[in-house]
Amino acid sequence: MKGTIAESDHRFEIPGTAQVVEGNGGLPKVRITSPEVVGEMYLYGAHVTSWKPVGGEEVLFLSSQSRWKDGHAIRGGVPVCFPWFGNKADDPKAPAHGFVRTKAWQLESIAQVGAAVTVSMFTESNEDTKRWWPAEFRMVHRATFGSELSLELVVTNTGTTSLRFEEALHAYHRVGNIADVRLRGLDTVHYLDKTDSNRKKIQHGEIVIVSETDRVYLNTRDAIELEDPVLHRRIRVTKENSLTTVVWNPWVQKAHSLADLADDEWTQMICIESSNVSDFAVDLAPGQQHKMKAIVRVADL
Ligand code: TA6
Protein backbone atom coordinates (compact mmCIF):
# COMPACT_ATOMS: atom_id res chain seq x y z
CA MET A 1 0.00 0.00 0.00
CA LYS A 2 1.28 3.44 -0.97
CA GLY A 3 2.48 5.50 1.99
CA THR A 4 2.12 3.36 5.09
CA ILE A 5 2.91 5.42 8.19
CA ALA A 6 6.61 6.29 8.14
CA GLU A 7 8.02 6.11 11.68
CA SER A 8 9.62 9.47 11.02
CA ASP A 9 6.23 11.13 10.54
CA HIS A 10 5.45 10.71 14.21
CA ARG A 11 8.06 13.34 15.04
CA PHE A 12 5.71 16.02 13.70
CA GLU A 13 2.86 15.06 16.03
CA ILE A 14 1.50 17.50 18.62
CA PRO A 15 0.27 15.53 21.65
CA GLY A 16 -3.51 15.73 22.03
CA THR A 17 -3.83 17.90 18.92
CA ALA A 18 -2.32 16.32 15.81
CA GLN A 19 -1.67 12.61 15.30
CA VAL A 20 -0.48 10.62 12.31
CA VAL A 21 -2.78 7.60 12.25
CA GLU A 22 -3.99 4.91 9.91
CA GLY A 23 -7.07 5.98 8.00
CA ASN A 24 -9.38 4.32 5.49
CA GLY A 25 -7.74 1.62 3.38
CA GLY A 26 -4.75 1.72 5.73
CA LEU A 27 -3.71 5.07 4.25
CA PRO A 28 -1.89 7.37 6.70
CA LYS A 29 -3.63 10.59 7.69
CA VAL A 30 -3.08 13.51 10.02
CA ARG A 31 -5.97 13.79 12.44
CA ILE A 32 -6.56 17.19 14.03
CA THR A 33 -8.50 17.58 17.27
CA SER A 34 -8.21 21.04 18.84
CA PRO A 35 -10.55 23.08 21.06
CA GLU A 36 -11.62 24.94 17.93
CA VAL A 37 -11.76 22.32 15.22
CA VAL A 38 -11.49 18.72 14.08
CA GLY A 39 -10.06 17.81 10.70
CA GLU A 40 -8.27 15.21 8.61
CA MET A 41 -5.66 15.25 5.82
CA TYR A 42 -4.34 12.16 4.03
CA LEU A 43 -0.77 11.93 2.76
CA TYR A 44 -2.26 10.21 -0.28
CA GLY A 45 -2.85 13.21 -2.51
CA ALA A 46 -2.31 15.67 0.40
CA HIS A 47 -6.06 15.28 0.53
CA VAL A 48 -8.13 17.14 3.14
CA THR A 49 -11.16 14.94 3.87
CA SER A 50 -12.73 16.63 6.89
CA TRP A 51 -13.09 20.07 8.43
CA LYS A 52 -15.55 20.64 11.23
CA PRO A 53 -15.36 23.78 13.37
CA VAL A 54 -16.33 22.92 16.96
CA GLY A 55 -20.05 23.38 17.58
CA GLY A 56 -20.71 23.04 13.84
CA GLU A 57 -21.42 20.32 11.26
CA GLU A 58 -18.96 18.75 8.85
CA VAL A 59 -18.40 21.21 5.98
CA LEU A 60 -16.85 18.85 3.43
CA PHE A 61 -18.68 16.07 1.56
CA LEU A 62 -17.02 12.63 1.46
CA SER A 63 -18.58 9.83 -0.62
CA SER A 64 -19.58 6.71 1.31
CA GLN A 65 -18.35 4.76 -1.75
CA SER A 66 -14.95 6.42 -2.10
CA ARG A 67 -12.15 4.02 -2.91
CA TRP A 68 -9.10 4.17 -0.66
CA LYS A 69 -6.47 2.55 -2.84
CA ASP A 70 -3.58 3.20 -5.20
CA GLY A 71 -4.49 4.69 -8.51
CA HIS A 72 -7.91 5.88 -7.37
CA ALA A 73 -8.59 9.43 -6.29
CA ILE A 74 -10.51 9.90 -3.06
CA ARG A 75 -14.10 10.97 -3.92
CA GLY A 76 -14.89 13.99 -1.82
CA GLY A 77 -12.98 16.33 0.47
CA VAL A 78 -10.50 18.47 -1.48
CA PRO A 79 -8.64 16.67 -4.28
CA VAL A 80 -5.61 18.61 -5.56
CA CYS A 81 -5.64 18.79 -9.36
CA PHE A 82 -2.19 19.41 -10.94
CA PRO A 83 -0.48 19.92 -13.41
CA TRP A 84 -3.50 19.66 -15.71
CA PHE A 85 -7.25 19.95 -15.12
CA GLY A 86 -9.70 17.43 -16.54
CA ASN A 87 -8.32 15.39 -19.41
CA LYS A 88 -4.75 16.04 -20.58
CA ALA A 89 -5.09 17.88 -23.89
CA ASP A 90 -2.38 15.94 -25.72
CA ASP A 91 -2.68 12.53 -24.03
CA PRO A 92 -6.09 10.87 -23.52
CA LYS A 93 -4.39 8.03 -21.58
CA ALA A 94 -3.11 10.41 -18.90
CA PRO A 95 -4.92 10.40 -15.53
CA ALA A 96 -7.77 12.95 -15.28
CA HIS A 97 -6.93 16.02 -13.19
CA GLY A 98 -3.21 15.21 -13.21
CA PHE A 99 -1.16 12.84 -11.02
CA VAL A 100 -0.63 14.45 -7.63
CA ARG A 101 -4.05 13.42 -6.24
CA THR A 102 -3.00 9.76 -6.51
CA LYS A 103 0.56 10.25 -5.27
CA ALA A 104 1.94 9.65 -1.75
CA TRP A 105 3.06 13.08 -0.49
CA GLN A 106 5.49 13.63 2.37
CA LEU A 107 4.79 15.37 5.63
CA GLU A 108 6.84 18.59 5.92
CA SER A 109 5.56 20.04 9.19
CA ILE A 110 2.67 20.40 11.64
CA ALA A 111 2.45 23.70 13.53
CA GLN A 112 -0.03 25.06 16.05
CA VAL A 113 -0.87 28.77 16.19
CA GLY A 114 -3.40 29.43 18.89
CA ALA A 115 -6.16 26.89 18.37
CA ALA A 116 -5.44 26.60 14.64
CA VAL A 117 -3.22 23.83 13.26
CA THR A 118 -1.25 24.05 9.98
CA VAL A 119 -0.29 20.83 8.21
CA SER A 120 2.21 21.10 5.34
CA MET A 121 2.83 18.26 2.89
CA PHE A 122 5.03 18.27 -0.21
CA THR A 123 5.71 16.30 -3.36
CA GLU A 124 8.29 16.61 -6.10
CA SER A 125 8.96 15.57 -9.68
CA ASN A 126 10.50 12.13 -10.16
CA GLU A 127 10.81 9.41 -12.84
CA ASP A 128 7.13 8.58 -12.40
CA THR A 129 5.88 12.12 -12.87
CA LYS A 130 8.16 12.66 -15.86
CA ARG A 131 6.43 9.81 -17.67
CA TRP A 132 3.48 12.19 -17.95
CA TRP A 133 5.04 15.62 -17.63
CA PRO A 134 8.74 16.45 -18.17
CA ALA A 135 8.94 19.40 -15.75
CA GLU A 136 10.96 19.65 -12.52
CA PHE A 137 8.84 20.94 -9.70
CA ARG A 138 8.23 20.97 -5.97
CA MET A 139 4.72 21.43 -4.63
CA VAL A 140 3.51 22.14 -1.11
CA HIS A 141 -0.06 21.93 0.15
CA ARG A 142 -0.41 23.92 3.37
CA ALA A 143 -3.74 23.39 5.13
CA THR A 144 -4.69 25.41 8.21
CA PHE A 145 -7.52 23.94 10.27
CA GLY A 146 -9.18 26.48 12.55
CA SER A 147 -12.40 28.46 12.77
CA GLU A 148 -11.80 28.82 9.03
CA LEU A 149 -10.12 26.41 6.62
CA SER A 150 -7.23 27.86 4.64
CA LEU A 151 -5.70 25.85 1.80
CA GLU A 152 -2.58 27.03 0.00
CA LEU A 153 -0.82 25.44 -2.98
CA VAL A 154 2.78 26.53 -3.51
CA VAL A 155 4.45 25.45 -6.76
CA THR A 156 8.17 25.99 -7.40
CA ASN A 157 9.83 25.47 -10.77
CA THR A 158 13.00 23.60 -9.71
CA GLY A 159 14.13 23.06 -13.29
CA THR A 160 16.00 25.08 -15.89
CA THR A 161 13.15 25.61 -18.36
CA SER A 162 9.87 27.45 -17.90
CA LEU A 163 6.76 25.41 -17.24
CA ARG A 164 2.99 25.88 -17.62
CA PHE A 165 0.45 24.21 -15.36
CA GLU A 166 -3.20 24.16 -14.36
CA GLU A 167 -4.23 23.73 -10.74
CA ALA A 168 -7.42 23.36 -8.73
CA LEU A 169 -8.51 22.86 -5.13
CA HIS A 170 -11.44 20.66 -6.18
CA ALA A 171 -13.45 21.16 -2.96
CA TYR A 172 -16.62 19.09 -2.35
CA HIS A 173 -18.97 20.97 0.00
CA ARG A 174 -21.68 19.11 1.87
CA VAL A 175 -25.20 20.49 1.36
CA GLY A 176 -28.63 19.57 2.73
CA ASN A 177 -30.27 19.31 -0.68
CA ILE A 178 -28.66 20.49 -3.91
CA ALA A 179 -32.02 21.66 -5.28
CA ASP A 180 -32.36 24.22 -2.46
CA VAL A 181 -28.91 25.85 -2.45
CA ARG A 182 -28.08 29.19 -4.04
CA LEU A 183 -24.62 30.23 -5.21
CA ARG A 184 -23.72 33.93 -5.40
CA GLY A 185 -20.68 35.82 -6.57
CA LEU A 186 -20.51 34.91 -10.27
CA ASP A 187 -23.16 37.21 -11.72
CA THR A 188 -22.07 38.60 -15.17
CA VAL A 189 -19.01 36.29 -15.25
CA HIS A 190 -18.28 34.35 -18.46
CA TYR A 191 -18.01 30.58 -18.23
CA LEU A 192 -17.26 27.52 -20.33
CA ASP A 193 -20.15 25.04 -20.16
CA LYS A 194 -18.60 21.55 -20.14
CA THR A 195 -22.07 20.01 -20.51
CA ASP A 196 -22.50 21.92 -23.80
CA SER A 197 -19.24 21.36 -25.72
CA ASN A 198 -17.46 24.03 -23.67
CA ARG A 199 -19.63 26.73 -25.23
CA LYS A 200 -18.85 30.17 -23.75
CA LYS A 201 -21.80 31.70 -21.87
CA ILE A 202 -22.44 34.41 -19.31
CA GLN A 203 -23.88 33.98 -15.80
CA HIS A 204 -27.02 35.93 -15.04
CA GLY A 205 -27.69 36.33 -11.31
CA GLU A 206 -27.27 33.57 -8.73
CA ILE A 207 -26.68 29.94 -9.62
CA VAL A 208 -29.50 27.46 -8.99
CA ILE A 209 -28.65 23.81 -9.75
CA VAL A 210 -31.43 22.17 -11.79
CA SER A 211 -29.43 19.71 -13.92
CA GLU A 212 -25.86 18.43 -14.46
CA THR A 213 -23.71 21.49 -13.94
CA ASP A 214 -20.05 21.60 -14.99
CA ARG A 215 -18.79 25.14 -15.56
CA VAL A 216 -15.45 26.88 -15.64
CA TYR A 217 -15.95 30.53 -14.66
CA LEU A 218 -13.27 32.67 -16.23
CA ASN A 219 -11.21 35.63 -15.08
CA THR A 220 -12.83 35.92 -11.66
CA ARG A 221 -11.20 36.66 -8.30
CA ASP A 222 -14.52 37.08 -6.52
CA ALA A 223 -15.71 35.43 -3.35
CA ILE A 224 -18.43 32.80 -3.62
CA GLU A 225 -21.33 32.44 -1.20
CA LEU A 226 -23.21 29.15 -0.92
CA GLU A 227 -26.54 29.55 0.86
CA ASP A 228 -27.98 26.31 2.28
CA PRO A 229 -31.46 26.66 3.80
CA VAL A 230 -31.62 22.96 4.76
CA LEU A 231 -28.43 22.96 6.84
CA HIS A 232 -29.17 26.60 7.84
CA ARG A 233 -25.69 27.78 6.87
CA ARG A 234 -23.76 29.95 4.49
CA ILE A 235 -20.37 28.82 3.21
CA ARG A 236 -18.14 31.62 1.93
CA VAL A 237 -15.08 30.86 -0.21
CA THR A 238 -12.52 33.59 -0.81
CA LYS A 239 -9.36 33.09 -2.80
CA GLU A 240 -5.97 34.57 -3.75
CA ASN A 241 -4.04 34.23 -7.03
CA SER A 242 -6.85 32.23 -8.58
CA LEU A 243 -8.48 33.48 -11.79
CA THR A 244 -10.98 30.67 -12.42
CA THR A 245 -13.74 29.02 -10.37
CA VAL A 246 -15.23 25.68 -11.33
CA VAL A 247 -18.74 24.73 -10.21
CA TRP A 248 -19.79 21.08 -10.49
CA ASN A 249 -22.68 18.82 -9.61
CA PRO A 250 -23.08 15.56 -11.58
CA TRP A 251 -26.88 15.34 -11.10
CA VAL A 252 -28.60 11.95 -11.59
CA GLN A 253 -27.15 10.33 -14.70
CA LYS A 254 -23.50 11.30 -14.32
CA ALA A 255 -23.75 10.30 -10.64
CA HIS A 256 -24.95 6.84 -11.66
CA SER A 257 -21.91 6.51 -13.94
CA LEU A 258 -19.54 7.16 -11.01
CA ALA A 259 -18.81 3.87 -9.22
CA ASP A 260 -17.39 5.68 -6.20
CA LEU A 261 -20.48 7.81 -5.54
CA ALA A 262 -23.67 6.28 -4.08
CA ASP A 263 -26.70 6.82 -6.29
CA ASP A 264 -28.37 9.54 -4.21
CA GLU A 265 -25.26 11.27 -2.88
CA TRP A 266 -25.23 13.84 -5.73
CA THR A 267 -28.02 15.64 -3.81
CA GLN A 268 -25.66 16.25 -0.85
CA MET A 269 -22.67 17.82 -2.60
CA ILE A 270 -21.50 20.71 -4.72
CA CYS A 271 -17.96 21.41 -5.88
CA ILE A 272 -16.63 24.97 -5.74
CA GLU A 273 -13.09 24.86 -7.11
CA SER A 274 -10.62 27.71 -6.69
CA SER A 275 -8.35 27.21 -9.65
CA ASN A 276 -6.19 28.41 -12.52
CA VAL A 277 -7.30 26.45 -15.56
CA SER A 278 -7.96 26.78 -19.26
CA ASP A 279 -6.64 30.12 -20.62
CA PHE A 280 -5.62 31.01 -17.07
CA ALA A 281 -3.00 28.28 -16.69
CA VAL A 282 0.11 29.51 -14.86
CA ASP A 283 3.49 30.10 -16.52
CA LEU A 284 6.47 29.75 -14.20
CA ALA A 285 10.09 30.58 -15.07
CA PRO A 286 12.97 28.54 -13.58
CA GLY A 287 13.35 29.19 -9.85
CA GLN A 288 10.03 31.00 -9.65
CA GLN A 289 7.21 30.16 -7.23
CA HIS A 290 3.43 30.51 -7.49
CA LYS A 291 0.99 30.50 -4.54
CA MET A 292 -2.77 29.97 -4.78
CA LYS A 293 -4.98 30.11 -1.70
CA ALA A 294 -8.61 29.35 -0.87
CA ILE A 295 -10.21 30.20 2.47
CA VAL A 296 -13.48 28.60 3.53
CA ARG A 297 -15.67 30.13 6.23
CA VAL A 298 -19.02 28.94 7.50
CA ALA A 299 -21.74 30.91 9.30
CA ASP A 300 -25.28 30.21 10.40
CA LEU A 301 -28.03 31.49 8.16
O1 TA6 B 1 -14.44 19.72 -11.67
C1 TA6 B 1 -15.44 19.21 -12.44
C2 TA6 B 1 -14.92 18.00 -13.20
O2 TA6 B 1 -13.87 18.35 -14.04
C3 TA6 B 1 -16.07 17.31 -13.93
O3 TA6 B 1 -15.91 17.37 -15.31
C4 TA6 B 1 -16.08 15.89 -13.38
O4 TA6 B 1 -15.45 15.01 -14.19
C5 TA6 B 1 -15.39 16.07 -12.04
O5 TA6 B 1 -14.41 17.01 -12.26
C6 TA6 B 1 -14.88 14.83 -11.37
O6 TA6 B 1 -13.77 14.34 -11.98
P1 TA6 B 1 -13.16 12.93 -11.48
O7 TA6 B 1 -11.96 12.69 -12.36
O8 TA6 B 1 -12.76 13.12 -10.03
O9 TA6 B 1 -14.23 11.90 -11.63
Side-chain angles (χ1 to χ4, degrees):
M1 172 66 64
K2 216 174 232 172
T4 45
I5 298 182
E7 258 332 290
S8 58
D9 285 341
H10 290 299
R11 74 184 189 279
F12 296 110
E13 292 181 331
I14 304 175
T17 300
Q19 265 75 48
V20 182
V21 296
E22 207 169 280
N24 295 324
L27 297 172
K29 65 180 180 185
V30 177
R31 185 177 55 208
I32 309 291
T33 44
S34 92
E36 200 173 64
V37 65
V38 292
E40 288 182 356
M41 187 174 182
Y42 280 75
L43 276 89
Y44 185 67
H47 201 126
V48 173
T49 51
S50 168
W51 172 56
K52 195 167 123 170
V54 162
E57 297 282 324
E58 175 59 54
V59 179
L60 299 174
F61 165 84
L62 188 60
S63 167
S64 63
Q65 308 300 310
S66 182
R67 302 210 187 109
W68 302 90
K69 59 180 182 180
D70 291 351
H72 291 272
I74 296 169
R75 177 68 68 192
V78 186
V80 175
C81 306
F82 174 91
W84 58 84
F85 184 78
N87 296 328
K88 192 166 187 284
D90 58 0
D91 185 350
K93 290 197 307 305
H97 291 321
F99 47 70
V100 298
R101 65 175 179 164
T102 53
K103 203 168 182 295
W105 293 52
Q106 292 170 266
L107 197 46
E108 182 176 71
S109 66
I110 305 178
Q112 183 165 14
V113 182
V117 178
T118 299
V119 181
S120 295
M121 297 181 181
F122 73 96
T123 191
E124 291 166 316
S125 44
N126 59 24
E127 290 324 301
D128 265 350
T129 63
K130 288 181 188 155
R131 277 190 310 126
W132 300 113
W133 194 57
E136 308 257 359
F137 71 91
R138 185 176 197 275
M139 187 174 198
V140 174
H141 185 192
R142 194 168 291 133
T144 301
F145 299 82
S147 55
E148 57 190 39
L149 177 68
S150 163
L151 305 172
E152 184 174 40
L153 293 180
V154 184
V155 178
T156 307
N157 178 349
T158 55
T160 54
T161 54
S162 71
L163 56 81
R164 165 171 275 230
F165 66 87
E166 295 178 297
E167 59 183 348
L169 288 160
H170 194 304
Y172 288 72
H173 293 285
R174 203 164 74 81
V175 298
N177 183 347
I178 191 67
D180 299 327
V181 304
R182 299 288 177 271
L183 221 58
R184 297 194 185 91
L186 294 165
D187 183 25
T188 73
V189 176
H190 285 89
Y191 65 91
L192 302 176
D193 186 345
K194 284 176 80 172
T195 68
D196 187 8
S197 319
N198 271 331
R199 199 161 276 122
K200 198 168 187 175
K201 302 176 181 176
I202 187 162
Q203 180 63 41
H204 296 291
E206 60 187 18
I207 300 173
V208 182
I209 309 289
V210 293
S211 59
E212 181 185 355
T213 301
D214 195 350
R215 301 173 181 175
V216 179
Y217 286 87
L218 304 168
N219 201 13
T220 173
R221 297 169 186 277
D222 296 339
I224 306 287
E225 287 218 340
L226 170 67
E227 197 167 286
D228 184 341
V230 175
L231 296 183
H232 309 292
R233 68 183 183 188
R234 179 179 289 114
I235 294 175
R236 182 177 167 79
V237 182
T238 55
K239 55 183 192 156
E240 294 165 18
N241 286 336
S242 158
L243 290 176
T244 56
T245 297
V246 178
V247 175
W248 180 57
N249 180 276
W251 210 249
V252 185
Q253 244 165 343
K254 172 87 185 212
H256 281 190
S257 74
L258 298 171
D260 57 358
L261 190 67
D263 283 354
D264 61 348
E265 281 184 322
W266 59 275
T267 63
Q268 295 151 31
M269 55 145 286
I270 186 167
C271 290
I272 301 170
E273 309 166 31
S274 304
S275 52
N276 286 302
V277 304
S278 187
D279 294 349
F280 297 87
V282 177
D283 290 308
L284 212 50
Q288 271 201 331
Q289 189 172 75
H290 181 272
K291 295 183 176 179
M292 180 182 79
K293 188 184 267 190
I295 301 166
V296 187
R297 296 180 180 90
V298 61
D300 295 340
L301 261 189

